[in-house]
Amino acid sequence: MTDPPSGEAAFLVPGTVEAAVEALGAAGAVAVAGGTSIGLLVGQGLLAPSVLVWLGRIPELSVLEEGDGQMSIGATTTLATLAAHPRVRTAVPALADAAASVGNTRVRAVATIGGALGHADPRQDLPPALLALDARVEVAGGRGRRHLAIDELIDGFMSTDLGPDEVITAVRVPLVDGRRSCYLRFTPGSADDYPTVAVAATAEVADGVPTAVRLAIGGAGPAAYLVPEAEQVEGAPEGRWAAEVAEVAEAAARRADPVDDRLGSAAYKRRMVAVWARRALERCLGADGVQP
Amino acid sequence: MKLHARVNGSPFVAEVPATSSLLEVLRGAGLTGTKEGCRIGVCGVCTVLVDDRPVSSCLYLAGCASEADIWTVEGMAERAPSVVDAFVECEGMQCGICTPGQIVAVASMGPDVRDENGVRRYLSGNLCRCTGYGTIVDAALDAQARRRGEVAPT
Amino acid sequence: MTLAWPRVVGPRVDARDKATGATRYSADVESEGALHAAVVRSTVPHAEVLAVDASAALAIRGVTAVVTARDLERRFGDELCGRRVRDMPLLARDKVRFPGEGIAVVLATTRRVAEDAAALVVVEYRELPPVLDALGALEPDAPRVHESPWRYDGAVVDPSDPPNLQSGLVEGDLVAVDEVLGRAAHVVTRTYRTPSGYQGYLEPQCWTASPRPGGGVALLGTAKAPYRLREQTAKTLGLALDAVEVEPAPLGGDFGGKGGVVDPTLCAALALWANRPVRLALRAGEDMTATDARHPSVVEVRVGCDADGTLLALRVDAVFDGGAYAAVKPIPSANLHGMAECALGYRLEAFFVRSRIAYTTTVPKGHMRAPGAPQAVFAIESALDELASAAGVSPVVLRRRSVLAGGDRDAYGHVWDEARGTETLDAALAAGDAAPRPKDRGRSGWRRPAPSGWRRGRGVALYARPTAPPATTSLRLAPGDDGRLVVELPFPETGTGSHSVVREELAASLGVDPERVEVRQVSTASLPYDPGVGASRVTVGLTAAVRQLAGRWSESGGTEAVTIETGSGTEPPALSFCAQVADVAVDPETGQVLVLGVVTAADVASVLRPRSHRMQIDGGAVMGYGFACLEDLLEGDGQVWATNLAEFRLPTAQDVPSLRTVLVEGGRGVGPANVKAVGELSNVPTAAAIANAVAEATGRRFRQLPLTAERVFWALHGEAGEEAGEEAGEEAGEEAGEEAGEEAGEEEGPA
């Protein structure tokens, strides 16, 4: 007689990051934060961990504070907390809007920023927003702490640069005076669905002239990606950047590497990247009359 | 693992696999008011409160409920009687399978959810195939008004 | 008898229990010592099963047996199972015919162990050519899904039929229809397609079977038609009728999906085989992919009118994908009643309808809310708009010219004393033109805004449906404790409020306080035959039966239990119309369709429980919206690709259009309570109303559902669409707005 595959697992509740890292050194150990992704994988029989390391009782990971020109968001900060945070909403609305868009009320109530990034699903809302905002991720592991850009952390389809004994500890988002940001997701079927494509844009606009323009795209490749051509818009005089925006939007579409799935064909998603990239830039730059 | 928590205000202890879902634990303990639906966190029929937050108990690992204050539909008449009454009086149900989840979700609404758009957005993860949602939204607005102490508009 | 007291509409009898979690659904009922069953399902569409290796599964602690078709055959013989056509084995014998078909069952002490072990069972297949396309399946050289389908008990085909015909239905006169169309001033011929769908109830099917001490088996579970299930289970397992007892539980949604007999009969067989209670609880994904999806359709419509837009003749030729077995279809023709009635709403000189259902190697197709009607009406009501365009009249004028009125003879030859098509259509149009009212949805007057820059369109569609006279049912009334009256029913509450109707009707008939009446559903051992819930027949039959019951109770003095059994009514049927007006906005850059609002006008007689009645209409309109815009099981290569509710998206509270309902009151219904059916009404015309609105908004005609943004985008943006050319026709609906009115509510700012 043998035991069924989904047998007993140890459940550990470390109180510090160091203890969590040590616990994750065991074979078959998996970090759990909000538990929505892990709960889904375990429930569907796709994951049979031998050790669950719950990060929900580590004080360091739940910090959400401003300092040194940045917002430090502890890894176990929930998406609901992020979406409702007054400073996040005013300073980095793209992040608040992305957090408010994930899943449903129940998911947002428990899912965490660290867990979302660790899951690395290309249809997720947070990666494009954080990429556009030039956020950096702090990771702790057996080799100490290191810092990664979003597109260094998420290095492919459902894949991260994290070692087996590493955990995300915090996400740091620069706070820049006068920076605008917006996040738009295209859900033409059900609003609760994953986006067909998602676009985040940030820019600083002084006297109508944009600088520091960043554009990131989600849902249209194995991972969210930046569109470096966005800098073409920089310096264009007020209201005179329509041609540049159109070019950047086409560049964003050229960089897309989407797949055919139920959310749309690759060809359609590519076209939608161009439309929504343009809309996000316009929104961010104020072209549609809406001040972000 | 041994799970220690409070469920509907009473101490709760159970020996459960750490990978089991909170849904399995609750139903296994006879609290069958919480339903199993899609099992992937989409439909909302398994909604329960964990430390005041609405969660999909089908995804929620039992271990993460350690020391938590858990409320299920069976406790709603005590914890949120106005919500239960609103659903009964507004007939916010048909087959009733989504009703426990709807009621728990409404019980978790903050006072900031005041209007119909807010209610619809908040409840968008609680599916209903029968009603078309009209009477559920009515019940939620009614419950929120009662909790604010307003006379329910008719 | 007539009512002694006015009917008092109180809270639903089931409301408080449902709101506190006390209601015990099938999955909530404990069964001491039950074994849990997990089904090993085929992963391929069509194959010979060469071997089943259960050794790894049997080695798992807690597994008591792995049961195959052979084991069941040795015990119960080789009877096949089915509601009318008995063509499906409880477990696949030598061959599997769809992905998801049961091949073996693991029995274990817990559900988790059974499922884990089922994943370890190895099946060796020799694959056969799949039959994936219903049209292709009817070609003479198509591979056979079944060697000799005409040999099955209840078969409705014969050897001269095309190889994979499951059932065929022909009505009308082909020669006459072609003759009339030949002299019509305008004729359009168009083909429309709809995908397979899932009923979308949130309670997966669940069964518990227990061997009875004296022999036989008791079955508790998700049974919409307990007596019919009893009959099929007994027949399949070679048992006497009274050796099977079916106890229904409250249903967590049905919509046509919970009438299947194969899974419960399998559960009963397992319990008898193991001589222990057995629970077979489907997971949501299994329920979606392996039970009884909605029929996908290809419907060709040919319709003609004279120069002023008066309809002359209608010819409909539909092919449905019936999946691997006909076993889940409940009506004797094994066809779809929505097809049988699809020419009902209009005066026609001639009509011809052919409906063919083909066997394919896909999940068996069953019933879903007005089976066949949403598909047929989407096609016909779209084609009428296309014809109106060709004839240069507005869609509303075209419909007004020919819709049935009182005294008219319908295409089938029946003369209707009352037919309120024009009144219903006009009521919908008037409501569509009126400003939104605070009570339209919730009390804050919520209405979806139309983003600026989007194209607007309005569409209409009509549906006509007969309400049959009261059907057979049975009831029992007995004195209870404390002066209470206990009324026993033969079928479960599905949520429509039927048990509340019984309480209120009985209280009013007897002149007692409704609080004194307790309503219970009881097992098949307790009452005479009832056909189960469905086909919008419950309220009609129940109200008639309740009055008969009350009469007998009063006659007998009201001291001893009274049981009644009603026969079918003989009075003529009534006709209900449903007209819908849909307002849409379409984003020309992305193709996104936003359905802003749906107005439903329903032709009603008496309304017994206004709020329950409204929910039937609202819920139907939302289901119609899902069919139009969202829902698709994505069958391809024989597989269902939308395997869960994250991929098969049901409309959410924030997705749904603003709904408004107007009742066209004062109609003549059937039965002593004077009612018309409502359950299978408002879900039917919605897709056509929306498609017609999108045609007006875009100048393009969409003949395939769902109306996804991508389909609309390629139609508007031409180039890349492999799909676009075929489905977006040349016909624009430019004239469509004239009568329907261009403005749909106020313009609001960007979303």
Side-chain angles (χ1 to χ4, degrees):
Chain A
M1 282 284 143
T2 55
D3 284 321
S6 64
E8 185 61 57
F11 192 87
L12 305 180
V13 189
T16 64
V17 169
E18 291 66 32
V21 165
E22 193 183 331
L24 285 169
V30 170
V32 178
T36 50
S37 299
I38 301 296
L40 181 66
L41 294 171
V42 169
Q44 300 296 305
L46 300 172
L47 184 70
S50 53
V51 182
L52 292 164
V53 181
W54 188 31
L55 308 177
R57 293 284 184 263
I58 302 175
E60 179 195 331
L61 298 186
S62 60
V63 168
L64 176 53
E65 63 186 11
E66 188 179 345
D68 297 335
Q70 59 186 5
M71 185 69 74
S72 283
I73 304 164
T76 60
T77 304
T78 65
L79 304 180
T81 301
L82 209 49
H85 193 271
R87 182 68 174 131
V88 173
R89 287 168 65 122
T90 52
V92 278
L95 179 57
D97 287 349
S101 302
V102 176
N104 55 40
T105 303
R106 297 182 306 281
V107 170
R108 294 189 292 273
V110 293
T112 66
I113 187 170
L117 292 174
H119 193 49
D121 186 317
R123 301 167 299 182
Q124 280 179 321
D125 295 281
L126 289 183
L130 290 169
L131 199 48
L133 290 165
D134 202 15
R136 295 187 72 79
V137 180
E138 183 187 86
V139 171
R143 294 166 290 167
R145 302 220 176 191
R146 59 196 183 112
H147 298 84
L148 301 168
I150 299 294
D151 50 1
E152 292 166 344
L153 173 76
I154 300 173
D155 57 9
F157 176 79
M158 303 290 283
S159 162
T160 68
D161 186 49
L162 291 177
D165 68 340
E166 284 187 313
V167 287
I168 295 168
T169 52
V171 178
R172 303 221 158 80
V173 182
L175 297 177
V176 182
D177 284 343
R179 182 169 66 170
R180 299 170 173 182
S181 69
C182 77
Y183 173 72
L184 300 179
R185 71 201 303 265
F186 179 46
T187 52
S190 173
D192 273 24
D193 206 344
Y194 287 110
T196 299
V197 299
V199 180
T202 64
E204 293 164 39
V205 182
D207 301 325
V209 178
T211 56
V213 180
R214 288 171 67 91
L215 179 69
I217 312 293
Y225 61 91
L226 268 179
V227 183
E229 291 84 350
E231 66 184 23
Q232 289 174 28
V233 182
E234 294 172 8
E238 182 168 16
R240 302 284 298 279
W241 29 253
E244 286 81 1
V245 164
E247 274 180 37
V248 173
E250 289 307 320
R254 279 196 302 277
R255 287 180 176 275
D257 182 18
V259 292
D260 292 331
D261 62 20
R262 70 180 174 82
L263 297 170
S265 68
Y268 179 63
K269 289 180 187 172
R270 199 182 289 277
R271 297 286 292 265
M272 290 304 100
V273 167
V275 170
W276 287 92
R278 192 200 78 228
R279 288 179 176 183
L281 286 168
E282 287 174 354
R283 172 75 64 96
C284 200
L285 301 174
D288 63 354
V290 179
Q291 291 301 311
Chain B
M1 63 174 287
K2 193 149 232 162
L3 174 67
H4 289 269
R6 292 181 73 79
V7 175
N8 296 330
S10 302
F12 181 92
V13 183
E15 182 65 41
V16 297
T19 52
S20 56
S21 66
L22 182 55
L23 175 67
E24 290 172 89
V25 172
L26 293 169
R27 288 183 60 85
L31 290 164
T32 55
T34 305
K35 305 305 178 194
E36 175 187 311
C38 69
R39 274 179 90 235
I40 52 171
V42 169
C43 76
V45 306
C46 70
T47 307
V48 302
L49 299 183
V50 175
D51 294 333
D52 301 326
R53 298 175 303 181
V55 309
S56 296
S57 63
C58 69
L59 299 185
Y60 205 79
L61 293 171
C64 299
S66 292
E67 310 301 332
D69 184 30
I70 298 161
W71 287 82
T72 70
V73 67
E74 286 92 345
M76 288 299 118
E78 180 188 339
R79 180 179 161 124
S82 60
V83 180
V84 174
D85 291 346
F87 272 80
V88 171
E89 287 167 30
C90 296
E91 204 169 326
M93 67 187 73
Q94 272 191 31
C95 82
I97 206 78
C98 74
T99 309
Q102 306 280 4
I103 286 176
V104 173
V106 172
S108 75
M109 278 180 181
D112 55 311
V113 183
R114 295 177 73 93
D115 63 5
E116 181 159 357
N117 279 326
V119 164
R120 286 181 181 272
R121 181 162 159 65
Y122 193 91
L123 291 181
S124 72
N126 286 85
L127 300 177
C128 172
R129 188 60 155 174
C130 297
T131 62
Y133 298 106
T135 58
I136 292 172
V137 173
D138 283 349
L141 288 168
D142 191 272
Q144 290 293 81
R146 289 179 198 221
R147 285 200 270 173
R148 287 193 299 269
E150 295 168 13
V151 177
T154 49
Chain C
M1 68 182 279
T2 52
L3 297 183
W5 280 15
R7 190 185 295 110
V8 177
V9 180
R12 295 171 57 120
V13 295
D14 50 345
R16 181 68 54 179
D17 281 353
K18 285 176 174 175
T20 54
T23 303
R24 308 280 266 178
Y25 295 86
S26 297
D28 303 333
V29 179
E30 277 287 323
S31 181
E32 278 301 307
L35 292 173
H36 294 260
V39 181
V40 178
R41 297 184 182 280
S42 172
T43 55
V44 297
H46 199 196
E48 285 174 31
V49 177
L50 301 181
V52 177
D53 178 1
S55 53
L58 285 165
I60 299 290
R61 200 183 314 279
V63 172
T64 61
V66 177
V67 182
T68 64
R70 294 273 169 271
D71 300 313
L72 298 181
E73 268 178 63
R74 273 193 288 274
R75 170 76 186 264
F76 303 105
D78 61 357
E79 278 284 332
L80 296 170
C81 193
R83 297 176 79 178
R84 292 286 177 174
V85 181
R86 301 166 54 77
D87 62 356
M88 187 165 175
L90 299 180
L91 290 171
R93 290 175 184 171
D94 302 314
K95 198 174 163 184
V96 288
R97 296 184 174 88
F98 72 95
E101 182 164 7
I103 295 171
V105 175
V106 176
L107 295 176
T109 49
T110 72
R111 189 177 184 188
R112 183 64 77 92
V113 169
E115 289 177 343
D116 279 352
L120 300 175
V121 174
V122 180
V123 180
E124 192 185 337
Y125 302 101
R126 191 174 73 83
E127 292 209 43
L128 299 168
V131 182
L132 304 178
D133 163 56
L135 285 164
L138 298 176
E139 296 295 328
D141 55 351
R144 264 57 168 175
V145 180
H146 297 264
E147 278 311 312
S148 319
W150 54 87
R151 292 190 200 281
Y152 292 130
D153 186 14
V156 290
V157 294
D158 61 52
S160 66
D161 283 317
N164 292 310
L165 191 71
Q166 203 177 83
S167 74
L169 178 119
V170 172
E171 286 173 330
D173 184 334
L174 182 59
V175 175
V177 88
D178 284 347
E179 186 272 316
V180 176
L181 286 171
R183 58 182 162 80
H186 306 280
V187 176
V188 297
T189 305
R190 299 285 189 269
T191 301
Y192 304 85
R193 291 179 167 79
T194 65
S196 55
Y198 173 55
Q199 290 85 359
Y201 43 76
L202 298 177
E203 177 207 32
Q205 298 185 39
C206 178
W207 302 95
T208 304
S210 309
R212 295 195 307 186
V217 63
L219 248 179
L220 181 145
T222 42
K224 68 178 288 176
Y227 291 80
R228 292 162 81 170
L229 172 59
R230 174 181 67 170
E231 195 179 308
Q232 293 308 326
T233 300
K235 202 165 179 179
T236 306
L237 301 184
L239 300 171
L241 197 58
D242 62 5
V244 178
E245 180 178 353
V246 178
E247 188 173 335
L251 289 184
D254 164 34
F255 314 114
K258 286 178 177 164
V261 293
V262 175
D263 287 332
T265 300
L266 171 63
C267 187
L270 292 166
L272 290 168
W273 184 87
N275 198 28
R276 273 178 78 169
V278 169
R279 165 171 290 204
L280 173 60
L282 300 189
R283 297 291 191 186
E286 287 180 288
D287 201 315
M288 284 182 68
T289 58
T291 61
D292 55 354
R294 167 145 66 190
H295 291 76
S297 71
V298 179
V299 182
E300 186 192 82
V301 179
R302 194 153 185 248
V303 60
C305 63
D306 67 14
D308 75 350
T310 301
L311 291 181
L312 294 174
L314 172 68
R315 183 177 161 174
V316 182
D317 195 353
V319 174
F320 293 92
D321 179 341
Y325 298 101
V328 285
K329 294 185 187 55
I331 62 176
S333 70
N335 213 281
L336 298 168
H337 75 62
M339 284 306 300
E341 295 162 356
C342 73
L344 186 57
Y346 299 97
R347 286 185 296 274
L348 297 166
E349 285 184 25
F351 86 107
F352 177 77
V353 173
R354 181 167 71 152
S355 169
R356 290 178 297 166
I357 301 181
Y359 279 116
T360 63
T361 55
T362 66
V363 61
K365 303 307 189 301
H367 275 190
M368 178 167 170
R369 203 167 189 173
Q375 298 97 317
V377 170
F378 165 63
I380 294 168
E381 289 288 315
S382 293
L384 290 185
D385 266 38
E386 298 201 61
L387 180 65
S389 178
V393 299
S394 86
V396 171
V397 166
L398 180 105
R399 287 176 173 83
R400 277 209 188 105
R401 292 239 155 90
S402 300
V403 71
L404 284 187
D408 280 348
R409 181 180 298 276
D410 69 22
Y412 303 85
H414 184 83
V415 177
W416 295 95
D417 290 342
E418 177 188 285
R420 306 194 298 165
T422 304
E423 296 89 325
T424 309
L425 179 60
D426 288 350
L429 292 166
D433 286 338
R437 299 168 307 186
K439 282 296 287 176
D440 281 348
R441 295 303 282 106
R443 55 177 64 88
S444 58
W446 178 80
R447 187 175 169 87
R448 293 185 84 150
S452 61
W454 290 32
R455 298 190 200 164
R456 304 285 294 270
R458 170 172 286 188
V460 302
L462 267 175
Y463 172 53
R465 181 193 173 90
T467 300
T472 305
T473 190
S474 61
L475 289 173
R476 184 166 187 269
L477 183 59
D481 299 337
D482 312 328
R484 293 168 72 80
L485 297 172
V486 178
V487 57
E488 295 179 344
L489 272 75
F491 55 77
E493 171 66 83
T494 58
T496 58
S498 58
H499 289 196
S500 305
V501 166
V502 167
R503 176 167 80 172
E504 287 158 11
E505 281 288 312
L506 190 72
S509 299
L510 294 174
V512 301
D513 181 351
E515 290 295 316
R516 274 182 60 200
V517 179
E518 184 185 334
V519 183
R520 284 186 200 153
Q521 63 191 38
V522 293
S523 87
T524 53
S526 309
L527 284 170
Y529 182 81
D530 170 89
V533 297
S536 294
R537 78 175 146 247
V538 170
T539 304
V540 172
L542 267 185
T543 47
V546 165
R547 295 192 191 194
Q548 196 175 321
L549 180 69
R552 287 273 299 283
W553 175 260
S554 301
E555 283 162 28
S556 71
T559 51
E560 280 176 36
V562 170
T563 303
I564 61 142
E565 191 177 0
T566 62
S568 298
T570 52
E571 63 179 300
L575 188 64
S576 319
F577 277 88
C578 176
Q580 284 177 326
V581 174
D583 286 310
V584 305
V586 178
D587 180 354
E589 279 195 299
T590 66
Q592 182 175 3
V593 174
L594 195 60
V595 182
L596 306 171
V598 174
V599 173
T600 303
D603 168 8
V604 302
S606 295
V607 174
L608 305 183
R609 296 184 51 82
R611 209 181 277 261
S612 305
H613 188 264
R614 174 185 139 186
M615 277 194 280
Q616 288 294 315
I617 294 171
D618 281 3
V622 168
M623 201 176 279
Y625 159 74
F627 176 57
C629 294
L630 290 180
E631 297 170 18
D632 187 345
L633 275 175
L634 298 171
E635 277 194 277
D637 306 327
Q639 305 275 350
V640 169
W641 294 106
T643 58
N644 58 51
L645 288 180
E647 287 158 344
F648 186 84
R649 284 276 163 183
L650 301 177
T652 71
Q654 66 172 341
D655 292 334
V656 299
S658 172
L659 302 178
R660 185 189 303 180
T661 297
V662 286
L663 302 181
V664 182
E665 293 177 288
R668 186 195 63 75
V670 298
N674 184 40
V675 291
K676 290 186 179 185
V678 70
E680 300 182 311
L681 199 64
S682 61
N683 64 309
V684 176
T686 324
I690 291 172
N692 289 340
V694 171
E696 190 193 52
T698 62
R700 300 286 172 151
R701 174 57 56 176
F702 295 90
R703 302 191 184 94
Q704 182 165 7
L705 297 181
L707 283 158
T708 61
E710 176 158 9
R711 290 197 164 119
V712 176
F713 176 85
W714 291 124
L716 296 177
H717 295 265
E719 72 236 65
E722 305 114 59
E723 307 180 58
E726 192 201 342
E727 70 189 53
E730 64 294 345
E731 295 284 334
E734 280 103 47
E735 299 104 308
E738 192 187 319
E739 281 273 335
E742 345 251 61
E743 293 306 313
E746 75 279 62
E747 199 61 46
E748 293 179 57

